[in-house]
Amino acid sequence: MVRGQLRVYLGSAPGVGKTYAMLDEGHRRAERGTDVAVGFVETHGRPNTAARLEGLEVIPRAVITYRGSEFTEMDTAALLARAPEVALVDELAHTNVPGSPREKRWQDIEVLLEAGMDVITTVNVQHLESLNDVITQITGVIQRETVPDEIVRGAEQVELVDMTAEALRRRMAHGNIYGPDKMDAALANYFRVGNLTALRELALLWLADKVDDQLERYREQHHIDGTWEARERVVVALTGGPEGDTLIRRASRVADRTKGADLLAVHVARSDGLVGADPAQLGAQRVLVESLGGTYHQVVGDDIPTALLDFARGVNATQLVLGASRRGRLAQLFSRGVGVTTTALSGPIDVHLVTHEETKRRRARTPNHAGLAWRRRVAGYALTAIGLPALTIGLAALRGDLSLATDIMLFLAAVVAVALVGGMYPALVAAVAGSMLLNFYFTPPIHKWTISAPENVLALVVFVVVGASVSIAVEVAARRSRQAAQARAEAETLSTIAGGVLRGERPLSALLEQLREAFNLTSVSLLERRPDTAPSPDQQRDPSSWQIAAAVGERPCVSPAEGDVDVTIDDTLTLALRGHPLPAADRRVVQAFAAQAAVALRQERLATQASEAGTLAEVDRLRTALLSAVSHDLRSPLASAKAAANGLRSRDVIFDEKDRDELLATVEESLDDLIHLVDNLLDMSRLQAGALGMQTQQLSVAETVAQAVRRLGPAGRRIGLDVPDDLPEMNADAALVERILVNVLDNALHHSPTATPPVITASALGDRVEIRVIDKGPGIDTADRDRVFLPFQRLGDRNTQTGVGLGLALSRGLAESMGGDLEPDDTPGGGLTMTLRLPVAHPADSVTDRAVDLDPKPVLP
C-alpha cells in the first residue's frame, strides 16, 4: 500500500491560526470532491474555529477512563474504519491519556499514513524536540509535550502560519485566543512581544533549514552539481599553518556582510594519513571558527583543489577563501599551486585569495627523518664492503662460464640485498661500486676502465639507475612504514585521552591525567600568567609570575622553566611537563592537547560562572518577587487594621456595640492574614533550607479531609465530599496534609463558579492514596502548569485575597517532603483537578519525627 502524505501547519505560538488554516484546507479539498474527515480538532473554546468546523464530517472521539475520570481522545480505529482520503488531526505533539493504544498522537498519525491516508496536522515550534531547551530559556516554560524533529522534517509539506507579535497580541486582546480571565496573565507572561518575536524567528529559521534540506534533496535527485545561491555560504580552507587565524577572521567578515550567511571551515587531509598539519594549530583554529558561529569540517583527498571544490559544491557554497601561496617562484613555474588551480576550476563560486604575513616567508620544510635505524645502515655498508668483493672474486673464477649480462644481474641482486638491509645510501654506494667492479673486472677490455662496446656502457648505466631506483624505493617504503607506525601510536594516544576526557566528570583534570599517563610523566601543570605581572626576561623562571590553573601528579611545576618540557598555548597559558624530555614527534601530540586543555579550562570557568550567575539570578528573582508581592499583601491588612484601630481610638465618633465588634473583627481578620502570610514565608524558607520538621503517622483519609474542610469555615460548606471510609490509611504529617488541602481548596473555591462548587474525591492506587480536588473553573493552560508552582507566581491574578502566590509552591514542597506529589490536570468538561498523592501506611509505620532534607535551593531573601 502506498504511504499517505503528511502536511504540517507550523506556528510560532498559540493563536496564530494553525487549526483555522487546517480547517480551511479541509473545506477546499472537500469542495474539490476529496473525501475529508476530521479525526480530532481542539477548538479551545474559540468561536471562529468552532464555526469553521461546521460542514466537515467529524469522527466521534473515543472515551477513555483514567483514575476514575473520563477523557476523550482521537478514535484512530474508527478513523481507519472510515478510511477517508484526507484526515484532519490537530495537535501533533499531544500526549494521549494513559490507556490509549499509543502514547503520542504523532504515533497515531504514523498509523494513518501507513494505511495510505493523507493527514493534515498542526504543531507549534515550541513543541519541536530540538528547540525544547531554547524555548525554555526564552519563555521560562518547560514544554513537556514534544515531537521528534524527524517526524516534521519528513512531512511532504510544511507550511508556516505566520503572524507578527503585535497582531497576535491584538488578537489576544480581542478575546480571540483566551477568555478574559486568562488574557492579562498571558499578555504579561508568555505573550510578551520579546517572547513572540523570538519564537517567530525560531519558526522561520527552522523552516528555512527544512526548505534547505528539500533543496539539497532536489539537487541530488536531479544530479545538479552547480551552485545555487539560495543562501550565502562562505567556505574557508585551512592548512593548519599560522595564517589560519587571519583567513578565518577574513571569511567571517565576508559572511557577516550578508544576514544569515553560513561560515564553514574545511581542512583537507592526505588520504594516507602520514603527512598532516599541526594538530595544535588546527585545534585552536577550530575553536576560533566555532566561536565566530561557524562549523569545522575535515575531508580526505590527495588532490587538494578537487577536494576543496567538491566540498564547496556539496554544501552549495557561494564563496571560497584561500590563503595566498607561500611557494617560491621556482616552484610555481612547475606547478600553479592550490590557489590558482582552485580559481581556474571554481566555476560560479567566488574565490578570494587573501594575503597574509606568512606569504613573505618560505614554507618550512618538514624534517626528512631517516627511515631506518643507524644499525641497519652500518650493516648495509658492511655488506657492501664485504659482499661486493666476495662476489667479484667468485664471478672472476667463473669468467669463462658466465656472460656479462649474468654478471650484471648478480651484481644487481647484491645491490637490492644491500638496499633491503641498509636502505638508500648504502645501496647507492653499492650501485656505484658495483658498476666500477663490473667495468674493471668483467667488461672488455678487462682490467681497464675503458669500455669497448657501446651496449656495455648502456648496460652499466641501466644497472646504476635500477640499483638507485630500488634503493630509493626501499628507503621511501621504510620511512612510510615508520611514519605509519608513529601515526597509529599518536592516534591511539589521542583516542585514549579523548575517551578519558569524555568519561570524566572534570574534563580538564581527566585530560591532564591521561596526558601524564600516556607519556609516563611525573606531573603535568597548566600554568596561567598572573594578570598583574609585567613582562620581563626572567618571567619564565619566576614562580611569582604564574599561578597553577590545574595540575596532576607529584611536584607540579610552579613556573614553565621548572618543567622538562613547556608548551606555550597563548599569551597567558603554558603547559609544563615534569619527568623527562620528549621527542619532537611526541611534542606534536602534546601541543594538540595543550590547545584542548585551554578550551577545557575556559569551559570549566564558564560553567562555574553560569552556575553562580544562575544561583544569584534565582535569589534576585525571589527577592524581587517577594518585594513586589509582599509590598502589597503586607500593606493591605496593615492598612485595614490601622484604620480600624484608629476608628476605635477616635473620640469624634461614638460607635455602638455592633460597630465596635465589626471593627475589632476587622483588626482580628487583618492580623490573621498577616500571621498566615508570615507563616507561609517562614515555612517556605525552612522548606528550601531543609529545616522544616514534621511528624509522620498513620492518618485516616476521610478524617483528614473533613478536618481540612472544617478549617475553611463557612466557605467549606459549599464543597462536595466523595471520600470512601474504607480507604487505607496514609503515612503523613496531619498538620502538613491539612495545610496542603486548605491551600488547594481555597484556590478551588476562589476560581469555581458559584453554581458548581469544587468536589473532593479520594481513591487508592497501588501503594498511593490519591486525593483529588476537582473544580469547574477556568483551569490552567498546559504551558503554565509548572509556573503555577513557582513562589510568588499568581499568573496575573491581582485579587487582594490571593496572597503572595506561595500557597501552591508551599503545598507541592510539603507534599514532596512527605514522599508524595501534587500535580494539576484538566477536569473533563473544563476546569482544574489538583491531585495529591501520598504513600499508603504500612503496619510497621509508626510516629516518626524528622527534618525535611531536600536538595539545597536558594533560600528566600
Side-chain angles (χ1 to χ4, degrees), residues 97 107 175 203 268 302 304 313 408 509 519 560 654 666 702 761 765 833:
V97 173
Q107 296 172 330
V268 180
D302 293 324
I304 295 178
R313 294 189 181 106
I408 292 176
S509 299
F519 293 100
I654 300 176
T666 300
T761 66
L765 182 65
T833 298

Side-chain angles (χ1 to χ4, degrees), residues 84-95:
E85 295 179 63
V86 177
L88 308 183
V89 182
D90 206 5
E91 297 184 351
L92 176 65
H94 172 74
T95 300

Side-chain angles (χ1 to χ4, degrees), residues 164-208:
T164 65
E166 292 76 10
L168 186 57
R169 284 172 60 85
R170 284 197 299 271
R171 179 176 287 185
M172 170 74 74
H174 293 158
N176 294 330
I177 300 178
Y178 295 148
D181 53 330
K182 300 179 182 179
M183 186 187 307
D184 292 338
L187 289 172
N189 293 281
Y190 194 86
F191 281 78
R192 295 194 303 268
V193 173
N195 285 2
L196 296 177
T197 303
L199 292 172
R200 186 185 183 206
E201 181 178 11
L202 285 175
L204 291 168
L205 290 174
W206 191 94
L207 187 60

Side-chain angles (χ1 to χ4, degrees), residues 581-609:
L582 294 179
D586 290 343
R587 286 184 65 96
R588 295 177 68 248
V589 180
V590 174
Q591 287 172 347
F593 282 92
Q596 294 303 316
V599 174
L601 175 64
R602 294 187 182 98
Q603 288 177 341
E604 283 194 1
R605 289 180 174 175
L606 287 174
T608 302
Q609 292 173 2

Side-chain angles (χ1 to χ4, degrees), residues 538-663:
D538 297 330
Q539 194 173 63
Q540 295 294 99
R541 301 179 180 276
D542 184 9
S544 63
S545 300
W546 300 88
Q547 58 186 1
I548 299 178
V552 295
E554 301 177 357
R555 297 188 302 117
C557 301
V558 294
S559 67
E562 285 190 17
D564 296 289
V565 177
D566 64 280
V567 178
T568 301
I569 302 173
D570 54 29
D571 293 339
T572 60
L573 293 175
T574 296
L575 191 66
L577 314 180
R578 186 194 295 274
H580 55 82
L582 294 179
D586 290 343
R587 286 184 65 96
R588 295 177 68 248
V589 180
V590 174
Q591 287 172 347
F593 282 92
Q596 294 303 316
V599 174
L601 175 64
R602 294 187 182 98
Q603 288 177 341
E604 283 194 1
R605 289 180 174 175
L606 287 174
T608 302
Q609 292 173 2
S611 176
E612 293 174 353
T615 303
L616 292 174
E618 179 67 12
V619 172
D620 186 65
R621 187 191 68 79
L622 290 174
R623 182 184 293 111
T624 302
L626 175 64
L627 292 174
S628 175
V630 172
S631 62
H632 178 275
D633 292 278
L634 277 176
R635 186 167 57 247
S636 296
L638 283 174
S640 299
K642 181 174 176 60
N646 287 339
L648 290 171
R649 293 184 59 189
S650 175
R651 297 180 181 179
D652 297 334
V653 181
I654 300 176
F655 296 100
D656 56 22
E657 192 67 23
K658 180 179 179 181
D659 292 336
R660 182 177 296 275
D661 290 342
E662 185 175 346
L663 289 173

Side-chain angles (χ1 to χ4, degrees), residues 263-346:
L263 174 63
L264 302 91
V266 60
H267 170 67
V268 180
R270 284 279 300 271
S271 60
D272 55 17
L274 301 181
V275 180
D278 185 352
Q281 290 276 12
L282 282 178
Q285 289 166 9
R286 177 173 187 165
V287 172
L288 178 58
V289 169
E290 293 174 349
S291 69
L292 294 173
T295 57
Y296 177 85
H297 308 266
Q298 187 161 315
V299 297
V300 177
D302 293 324
D303 188 348
I304 295 178
T306 301
L308 280 177
L309 290 173
D310 287 344
F311 174 81
R313 294 189 181 106
V315 298
N316 203 21
T318 56
Q319 302 190 60
L320 182 60
V321 178
L322 301 172
S325 176
R326 287 187 283 162
R327 299 162 69 247
R329 293 184 179 180
L330 182 61
Q332 293 180 17
L333 292 177
F334 295 96
S335 174
R336 294 189 297 175
V338 173
V340 176
T341 305
T342 303
T343 304
L345 301 176
S346 62

